[in-house]
Amino acid sequence: MSTVTAPDTASYRKFLPADSPVQYLTPDGVPTASEARYAHPSDDRLVEMFRGMYLGRRFDLQATALTKQGRLAVYPSSHGQEACQISAAMSLRPRDWMFPTYRDSMALAARGIEPVEILAMLAGDWHCGYDPTAHRTAPQSTPLATQLLHATGAAYGEHRRGSDAIALAFCGDGATSEGDFHEALNFAAVFRAPVVFLVQNNGFAISVPFSRQSVAPSLAHKGVGYGIGSEQVDGNDPVAMLAVMDAAAEFVREGNGPVIVEAHTYRLEAHTNADDATRYRDDAEVQEWTAKDPLDRLEKYLREVGAVDDAFLDALHEEGEQRAADLRAGMNVDRPSDPLDLFRYVFANPTTQLREQQALVEAELRADAEEN
Ligand SMILES: Cc1ncc(C[n+]2csc(CCOP(=O)(O)OP(=O)(O)O)c2C)c(N)n1
């Protein structure tokens, strides 16, 4: 018995990448004349998005500060990538799956995961901090592009079980040079796994600029070669991002196979707090992208259409500060940790080396306890 149907080439032709990134708002927040390609999101939905972006940025700022206070080992900021992450989270229903990378903490927050839990792994815990099954959200993946294969497998499994759940997987521009990226896209294409692949092209893979990553017309065009739906979008334009992500999720849900979306955005901060970005890029470039801030852009639009006002923004500011204070308090509580957990939960029958290492740690812990 085969569950594989022949690709419907007509369906993915409806979702071929535009010549230039889809844009609904100029950097000044003014609607562009073009684009009836995807349905314009309602103002209510855009207000919800603005809220997620605003709170996401406050969370990001607080997490960066926590690295300086020694409460987080490392934090990869997504300052500037709010529109990409919040639109992605909003395009999913609770029963859909999300497969994030280390940089997608804002998307996790928008999915309703507790901020303290999101930061558990980055604070040095051995586990991801939250229940991946309950939240239908995989642990944040650090090995580049591996999560794309997991997402493809999970989505294909859902499809075979007859469920209508889809998966959304994030990756960066650098990850598209990994073999796993190609394997995931090709498998998903051939077996019509319901996955949305969102590539946040933020210009850099640590210090490697995008020009050393690909010479394709766009990363979205790679999808054409796999025979899947593909689109490129201005990743700092919240309206365009939500329009495209909603359409991509819908297209996938309708059984048309996977979609790849490339979001053109920019990483405004260094790769992580351990990186010095001034060694490989000019401040002028950072300033140029700061002027394309997705939050400013959406705020201008929403004020113009009368969907938000000072009272709304003041209340949101208060809420952001309260959440930041709660996060600081939560991160200042020492987590219970047992070093022997390192040896549990991995192998049913641990290897000889692991048993030896466990005995060493146990001896060290006993010695410590006797000393104190
Ligand atoms: C398989 C693998 N190779 C190398 C690394 C080291 N590494 C960590 S982040 C990174 C850059 C990734 O860049 P990109 O995919 O563009 O994502 P971004 O960090 O910009 O969000 C590299 C090479 C890794 N984590 N995994």
Side-chain angles (χ1 to χ4, degrees), residues 76-77 81 101-104 141-146 171-178 180 199-208 213 267 271-272:
S77 166
Q81 299 180 214
T101 76
Y102 48 82
R103 198 174 298 289
D104 302 313
S141 175
T142 298
L144 302 178
T146 52
C171 76
D173 42 294
T176 66
S177 297
E178 291 284 342
D180 283 358
V199 184
Q200 292 176 83
N201 180 353
N202 64 8
F204 293 91
I206 313 183
S207 57
V208 178
Q213 212 65 249
R267 194 194 74 213
H271 174 71
T272 67

mmCIF file of all heavy atoms in Angstrom, residues 76-77 81 101-104 141-146 171-178 180 199-208 213 267 271-272, ligand 1:
data_model
loop_
_atom_site.group_PDB
_atom_site.id
_atom_site.type_symbol
_atom_site.label_atom_id
_atom_site.label_comp_id
_atom_site.label_asym_id
_atom_site.label_seq_id
_atom_site.Cartn_x
_atom_site.Cartn_y
_atom_site.Cartn_z
ATOM 1 N N PRO A 76 21.399 33.934 22.253
ATOM 2 C CA PRO A 76 21.402 34.426 20.874
ATOM 3 C C PRO A 76 20.204 35.351 20.678
ATOM 4 O O PRO A 76 19.066 34.888 20.655
ATOM 5 C CB PRO A 76 21.262 33.152 20.034
ATOM 6 C CG PRO A 76 21.137 32.011 21.025
ATOM 7 C CD PRO A 76 20.791 32.608 22.344
ATOM 8 N N SER A 77 20.462 36.621 20.559
ATOM 9 C CA SER A 77 19.375 37.598 20.459
ATOM 10 C C SER A 77 18.670 37.519 19.104
ATOM 11 O O SER A 77 19.289 37.267 18.078
ATOM 12 C CB SER A 77 19.957 39.000 20.642
ATOM 13 O OG SER A 77 19.015 39.971 20.245
ATOM 14 N N GLN A 81 14.227 40.533 14.537
ATOM 15 C CA GLN A 81 13.599 39.425 13.810
ATOM 16 C C GLN A 81 12.192 39.125 14.373
ATOM 17 O O GLN A 81 11.638 38.045 14.151
ATOM 18 C CB GLN A 81 14.504 38.179 13.874
ATOM 19 C CG GLN A 81 15.857 38.424 13.223
ATOM 20 C CD GLN A 81 16.814 37.235 13.238
ATOM 21 O OE1 GLN A 81 18.007 37.418 13.352
ATOM 22 N NE2 GLN A 81 16.307 36.023 13.131
ATOM 23 N N THR A 101 15.017 26.921 16.451
ATOM 24 C CA THR A 101 16.463 26.898 16.694
ATOM 25 C C THR A 101 16.736 27.666 17.991
ATOM 26 O O THR A 101 15.826 28.251 18.591
ATOM 27 C CB THR A 101 17.270 27.598 15.583
ATOM 28 O OG1 THR A 101 17.145 29.023 15.748
ATOM 29 C CG2 THR A 101 16.804 27.198 14.190
ATOM 30 N N TYR A 102 18.012 27.726 18.339
ATOM 31 C CA TYR A 102 18.453 28.467 19.529
ATOM 32 C C TYR A 102 18.052 29.938 19.452
ATOM 33 O O TYR A 102 17.994 30.626 20.450
ATOM 34 C CB TYR A 102 19.989 28.364 19.669
ATOM 35 C CG TYR A 102 20.693 28.670 18.347
ATOM 36 C CD1 TYR A 102 20.929 29.973 17.944
ATOM 37 C CD2 TYR A 102 21.045 27.643 17.478
ATOM 38 C CE1 TYR A 102 21.510 30.269 16.719
ATOM 39 C CE2 TYR A 102 21.637 27.909 16.249
ATOM 40 C CZ TYR A 102 21.864 29.237 15.878
ATOM 41 O OH TYR A 102 22.418 29.506 14.654
ATOM 42 N N ARG A 103 17.821 30.493 18.213
ATOM 43 C CA ARG A 103 17.543 31.929 18.103
ATOM 44 C C ARG A 103 16.047 32.256 18.187
ATOM 45 O O ARG A 103 15.666 33.415 18.094
ATOM 46 C CB ARG A 103 18.130 32.488 16.786
ATOM 47 C CG ARG A 103 18.266 34.017 16.825
ATOM 48 C CD ARG A 103 18.953 34.585 15.616
ATOM 49 N NE ARG A 103 20.303 34.128 15.446
ATOM 50 C CZ ARG A 103 21.333 34.475 16.218
ATOM 51 N NH1 ARG A 103 21.162 35.298 17.221
ATOM 52 N NH2 ARG A 103 22.529 33.982 15.983
ATOM 53 N N ASP A 104 15.203 31.246 18.364
ATOM 54 C CA ASP A 104 13.774 31.503 18.196
ATOM 55 C C ASP A 104 12.997 31.614 19.495
ATOM 56 O O ASP A 104 11.812 31.262 19.556
ATOM 57 C CB ASP A 104 13.186 30.421 17.276
ATOM 58 C CG ASP A 104 13.897 30.420 15.933
ATOM 59 O OD1 ASP A 104 14.063 31.524 15.368
ATOM 60 O OD2 ASP A 104 14.316 29.344 15.461
ATOM 61 N N SER A 141 16.910 23.747 18.789
ATOM 62 C CA SER A 141 18.009 22.953 18.240
ATOM 63 C C SER A 141 19.266 23.798 18.010
ATOM 64 O O SER A 141 19.204 24.850 17.376
ATOM 65 C CB SER A 141 17.565 22.342 16.910
ATOM 66 O OG SER A 141 18.634 21.678 16.312
ATOM 67 N N THR A 142 20.387 23.315 18.523
ATOM 68 C CA THR A 142 21.668 23.980 18.279
ATOM 69 C C THR A 142 22.412 23.348 17.101
ATOM 70 O O THR A 142 23.020 24.069 16.310
ATOM 71 C CB THR A 142 22.532 23.964 19.560
ATOM 72 O OG1 THR A 142 21.830 24.708 20.558
ATOM 73 C CG2 THR A 142 23.878 24.611 19.343
ATOM 74 N N PRO A 143 22.383 22.017 16.923
ATOM 75 C CA PRO A 143 23.025 21.451 15.719
ATOM 76 C C PRO A 143 22.238 21.901 14.474
ATOM 77 O O PRO A 143 21.069 21.544 14.298
ATOM 78 C CB PRO A 143 22.924 19.933 15.930
ATOM 79 C CG PRO A 143 22.565 19.755 17.371
ATOM 80 C CD PRO A 143 21.805 20.977 17.767
ATOM 81 N N LEU A 144 22.875 22.723 13.654
ATOM 82 C CA LEU A 144 22.173 23.392 12.547
ATOM 83 C C LEU A 144 21.435 22.412 11.636
ATOM 84 O O LEU A 144 21.993 21.388 11.235
ATOM 85 C CB LEU A 144 23.167 24.177 11.685
ATOM 86 C CG LEU A 144 23.995 25.247 12.394
ATOM 87 C CD1 LEU A 144 24.962 25.896 11.416
ATOM 88 C CD2 LEU A 144 23.093 26.280 13.042
ATOM 89 N N ALA A 145 20.213 22.744 11.304
ATOM 90 C CA ALA A 145 19.379 22.069 10.293
ATOM 91 C C ALA A 145 18.862 20.688 10.699
ATOM 92 O O ALA A 145 18.015 20.135 9.999
ATOM 93 C CB ALA A 145 20.107 21.971 8.948
ATOM 94 N N THR A 146 19.313 20.154 11.829
ATOM 95 C CA THR A 146 18.811 18.833 12.231
ATOM 96 C C THR A 146 17.308 18.886 12.491
ATOM 97 O O THR A 146 16.592 17.915 12.220
ATOM 98 C CB THR A 146 19.536 18.323 13.491
ATOM 99 O OG1 THR A 146 19.481 19.341 14.498
ATOM 100 C CG2 THR A 146 20.999 17.997 13.208
ATOM 101 N N CYS A 171 14.947 27.900 10.366
ATOM 102 C CA CYS A 171 16.406 27.767 10.241
ATOM 103 C C CYS A 171 16.965 29.106 9.767
ATOM 104 O O CYS A 171 16.213 29.986 9.345
ATOM 105 C CB CYS A 171 16.822 26.629 9.316
ATOM 106 S SG CYS A 171 16.631 26.949 7.565
ATOM 107 N N GLY A 172 18.284 29.245 9.859
ATOM 108 C CA GLY A 172 18.934 30.471 9.405
ATOM 109 C C GLY A 172 19.506 30.279 8.007
ATOM 110 O O GLY A 172 19.488 29.167 7.456
ATOM 111 N N ASP A 173 20.038 31.369 7.439
ATOM 112 C CA ASP A 173 20.634 31.287 6.096
ATOM 113 C C ASP A 173 21.830 30.331 6.095
ATOM 114 O O ASP A 173 22.020 29.562 5.142
ATOM 115 C CB ASP A 173 21.046 32.676 5.601
ATOM 116 C CG ASP A 173 21.712 33.514 6.682
ATOM 117 O OD1 ASP A 173 21.032 33.864 7.664
ATOM 118 O OD2 ASP A 173 22.925 33.798 6.558
ATOM 119 N N GLY A 174 22.628 30.356 7.159
ATOM 120 C CA GLY A 174 23.793 29.465 7.216
ATOM 121 C C GLY A 174 23.385 28.004 7.176
ATOM 122 O O GLY A 174 24.032 27.173 6.521
ATOM 123 N N ALA A 175 22.286 27.685 7.833
ATOM 124 C CA ALA A 175 21.834 26.287 7.909
ATOM 125 C C ALA A 175 21.433 25.734 6.547
ATOM 126 O O ALA A 175 21.412 24.513 6.348
ATOM 127 C CB ALA A 175 20.670 26.179 8.890
ATOM 128 N N THR A 176 21.138 26.629 5.585
ATOM 129 C CA THR A 176 20.734 26.126 4.261
ATOM 130 C C THR A 176 21.909 25.511 3.513
ATOM 131 O O THR A 176 21.725 24.899 2.468
ATOM 132 C CB THR A 176 20.099 27.236 3.382
ATOM 133 O OG1 THR A 176 21.096 28.223 3.073
ATOM 134 C CG2 THR A 176 18.921 27.892 4.067
ATOM 135 N N SER A 177 23.138 25.671 4.033
ATOM 136 C CA SER A 177 24.296 25.030 3.399
ATOM 137 C C SER A 177 24.555 23.636 3.977
ATOM 138 O O SER A 177 25.491 22.960 3.564
ATOM 139 C CB SER A 177 25.555 25.886 3.587
ATOM 140 O OG SER A 177 25.390 27.124 2.936
ATOM 141 N N GLU A 178 23.758 23.232 4.945
ATOM 142 C CA GLU A 178 23.924 21.902 5.554
ATOM 143 C C GLU A 178 23.228 20.838 4.705
ATOM 144 O O GLU A 178 22.149 21.092 4.143
ATOM 145 C CB GLU A 178 23.292 21.884 6.959
ATOM 146 C CG GLU A 178 24.016 22.711 7.982
ATOM 147 C CD GLU A 178 25.303 22.038 8.476
ATOM 148 O OE1 GLU A 178 25.458 20.816 8.296
ATOM 149 O OE2 GLU A 178 26.143 22.770 9.027
ATOM 150 N N ASP A 180 21.564 18.377 5.796
ATOM 151 C CA ASP A 180 20.250 18.079 6.388
ATOM 152 C C ASP A 180 19.146 18.951 5.788
ATOM 153 O O ASP A 180 18.003 18.518 5.672
ATOM 154 C CB ASP A 180 20.287 18.299 7.913
ATOM 155 C CG ASP A 180 20.980 17.151 8.639
ATOM 156 O OD1 ASP A 180 21.398 16.180 7.968
ATOM 157 O OD2 ASP A 180 21.109 17.228 9.875
ATOM 158 N N VAL A 199 12.990 30.156 6.582
ATOM 159 C CA VAL A 199 14.408 30.530 6.653
ATOM 160 C C VAL A 199 14.478 32.009 7.011
ATOM 161 O O VAL A 199 14.010 32.861 6.251
ATOM 162 C CB VAL A 199 15.123 30.329 5.290
ATOM 163 C CG1 VAL A 199 16.611 30.643 5.437
ATOM 164 C CG2 VAL A 199 14.909 28.924 4.758
ATOM 165 N N GLN A 200 15.043 32.300 8.171
ATOM 166 C CA GLN A 200 15.265 33.711 8.531
ATOM 167 C C GLN A 200 16.656 34.066 8.024
ATOM 168 O O GLN A 200 17.663 33.720 8.648
ATOM 169 C CB GLN A 200 15.189 33.893 10.043
ATOM 170 C CG GLN A 200 13.793 33.673 10.615
ATOM 171 C CD GLN A 200 13.784 33.779 12.126
ATOM 172 O OE1 GLN A 200 13.718 34.872 12.664
ATOM 173 N NE2 GLN A 200 13.838 32.661 12.816
ATOM 174 N N ASN A 201 16.684 34.728 6.883
ATOM 175 C CA ASN A 201 17.968 35.152 6.320
ATOM 176 C C ASN A 201 18.336 36.472 6.981
ATOM 177 O O ASN A 201 17.899 37.542 6.555
ATOM 178 C CB ASN A 201 17.842 35.298 4.799
ATOM 179 C CG ASN A 201 19.150 35.746 4.169
ATOM 180 O OD1 ASN A 201 20.117 36.069 4.878
ATOM 181 N ND2 ASN A 201 19.188 35.783 2.851
ATOM 182 N N ASN A 202 19.143 36.364 8.054
ATOM 183 C CA ASN A 202 19.482 37.578 8.824
ATOM 184 C C ASN A 202 20.862 38.107 8.451
ATOM 185 O O ASN A 202 21.463 38.876 9.186
ATOM 186 C CB ASN A 202 19.360 37.323 10.335
ATOM 187 C CG ASN A 202 20.358 36.283 10.836
ATOM 188 O OD1 ASN A 202 21.246 35.862 10.090
ATOM 189 N ND2 ASN A 202 20.220 35.870 12.075
ATOM 190 N N GLY A 203 21.372 37.679 7.300
ATOM 191 C CA GLY A 203 22.596 38.271 6.758
ATOM 192 C C GLY A 203 23.888 37.591 7.145
ATOM 193 O O GLY A 203 24.889 37.729 6.437
ATOM 194 N N PHE A 204 23.886 36.850 8.251
ATOM 195 C CA PHE A 204 25.143 36.266 8.742
ATOM 196 C C PHE A 204 24.950 34.876 9.340
ATOM 197 O O PHE A 204 23.911 34.591 9.930
ATOM 198 C CB PHE A 204 25.754 37.150 9.844
ATOM 199 C CG PHE A 204 26.219 38.483 9.345
ATOM 200 C CD1 PHE A 204 25.358 39.564 9.363
ATOM 201 C CD2 PHE A 204 27.495 38.632 8.825
ATOM 202 C CE1 PHE A 204 25.762 40.793 8.875
ATOM 203 C CE2 PHE A 204 27.912 39.862 8.336
ATOM 204 C CZ PHE A 204 27.040 40.950 8.367
ATOM 205 N N ALA A 205 25.999 34.056 9.184
ATOM 206 C CA ALA A 205 26.124 32.824 9.963
ATOM 207 C C ALA A 205 27.354 33.074 10.840
ATOM 208 O O ALA A 205 28.492 32.942 10.386
ATOM 209 C CB ALA A 205 26.325 31.624 9.057
ATOM 210 N N ILE A 206 27.138 33.491 12.042
ATOM 211 C CA ILE A 206 28.162 34.092 12.913
ATOM 212 C C ILE A 206 28.848 35.199 12.108
ATOM 213 O O ILE A 206 28.178 36.169 11.759
ATOM 214 C CB ILE A 206 29.151 33.050 13.504
ATOM 215 C CG1 ILE A 206 28.373 31.834 14.082
ATOM 216 C CG2 ILE A 206 29.979 33.699 14.634
ATOM 217 C CD1 ILE A 206 29.239 30.778 14.754
ATOM 218 N N SER A 207 30.136 35.016 11.697
ATOM 219 C CA SER A 207 30.815 36.097 10.972
ATOM 220 C C SER A 207 30.762 35.916 9.456
ATOM 221 O O SER A 207 31.277 36.752 8.713
ATOM 222 C CB SER A 207 32.279 36.151 11.422
ATOM 223 O OG SER A 207 32.882 34.888 11.210
ATOM 224 N N VAL A 208 30.154 34.833 8.981
ATOM 225 C CA VAL A 208 30.144 34.567 7.528
ATOM 226 C C VAL A 208 28.966 35.299 6.894
ATOM 227 O O VAL A 208 27.809 35.022 7.215
ATOM 228 C CB VAL A 208 30.047 33.046 7.243
ATOM 229 C CG1 VAL A 208 29.989 32.777 5.739
ATOM 230 C CG2 VAL A 208 31.216 32.308 7.882
ATOM 231 N N GLN A 213 27.378 32.305 1.295
ATOM 232 C CA GLN A 213 26.502 31.171 1.608
ATOM 233 C C GLN A 213 25.798 30.636 0.378
ATOM 234 O O GLN A 213 25.622 29.440 0.216
ATOM 235 C CB GLN A 213 25.451 31.638 2.619
ATOM 236 C CG GLN A 213 24.978 30.604 3.590
ATOM 237 C CD GLN A 213 26.063 30.132 4.532
ATOM 238 O OE1 GLN A 213 26.492 28.984 4.438
ATOM 239 N NE2 GLN A 213 26.527 30.994 5.431
ATOM 240 N N ARG A 267 20.158 40.541 11.676
ATOM 241 C CA ARG A 267 20.466 40.296 13.088
ATOM 242 C C ARG A 267 21.105 41.566 13.644
ATOM 243 O O ARG A 267 22.267 41.841 13.362
ATOM 244 C CB ARG A 267 21.444 39.108 13.167
ATOM 245 C CG ARG A 267 21.604 38.515 14.541
ATOM 246 C CD ARG A 267 22.819 37.606 14.562
ATOM 247 N NE ARG A 267 24.036 38.382 14.560
ATOM 248 C CZ ARG A 267 25.183 38.025 13.976
ATOM 249 N NH1 ARG A 267 25.296 36.898 13.327
ATOM 250 N NH2 ARG A 267 26.233 38.809 14.027
ATOM 251 N N HIS A 271 26.108 37.681 17.174
ATOM 252 C CA HIS A 271 25.579 36.310 17.060
ATOM 253 C C HIS A 271 25.053 35.813 18.411
ATOM 254 O O HIS A 271 23.944 35.292 18.518
ATOM 255 C CB HIS A 271 26.686 35.383 16.533
ATOM 256 C CG HIS A 271 26.303 33.950 16.515
ATOM 257 N ND1 HIS A 271 25.381 33.442 15.623
ATOM 258 C CD2 HIS A 271 26.708 32.905 17.270
ATOM 259 C CE1 HIS A 271 25.232 32.143 15.839
ATOM 260 N NE2 HIS A 271 26.026 31.793 16.834
ATOM 261 N N THR A 272 25.881 35.964 19.444
ATOM 262 C CA THR A 272 25.462 35.743 20.837
ATOM 263 C C THR A 272 26.228 36.764 21.676
ATOM 264 O O THR A 272 27.054 37.515 21.134
ATOM 265 C CB THR A 272 25.832 34.335 21.393
ATOM 266 O OG1 THR A 272 27.257 34.254 21.483
ATOM 267 C CG2 THR A 272 25.294 33.208 20.536
HETATM 268 C C1 LIG B 1 25.981 21.217 12.457
HETATM 269 C C2 LIG B 1 26.568 22.472 13.047
HETATM 270 N N1 LIG B 1 27.662 23.023 12.492
HETATM 271 C C3 LIG B 1 28.185 24.154 13.030
HETATM 272 C C4 LIG B 1 27.635 24.724 14.130
HETATM 273 C C5 LIG B 1 28.261 25.982 14.742
HETATM 274 N N2 LIG B 1 27.361 27.132 14.520
HETATM 275 C C6 LIG B 1 26.535 27.563 15.488
HETATM 276 S S1 LIG B 1 25.601 28.846 15.002
HETATM 277 C C7 LIG B 1 26.299 28.858 13.469
HETATM 278 C C8 LIG B 1 25.851 29.866 12.443
HETATM 279 C C9 LIG B 1 24.461 29.606 11.990
HETATM 280 O O1 LIG B 1 23.999 30.629 11.161
HETATM 281 P P1 LIG B 1 22.543 30.671 10.593
HETATM 282 O O2 LIG B 1 22.079 29.311 10.198
HETATM 283 O O3 LIG B 1 22.496 31.717 9.559
HETATM 284 O O4 LIG B 1 21.646 31.076 11.852
HETATM 285 P P2 LIG B 1 21.697 32.365 12.798
HETATM 286 O O5 LIG B 1 22.636 32.033 13.937
HETATM 287 O O6 LIG B 1 22.170 33.519 12.002
HETATM 288 O O7 LIG B 1 20.318 32.531 13.299
HETATM 289 C C10 LIG B 1 27.282 27.874 13.363
HETATM 290 C C11 LIG B 1 28.105 27.620 12.160
HETATM 291 C C12 LIG B 1 26.489 24.107 14.689
HETATM 292 N N3 LIG B 1 25.862 24.620 15.749
HETATM 293 N N4 LIG B 1 25.967 23.003 14.123
#
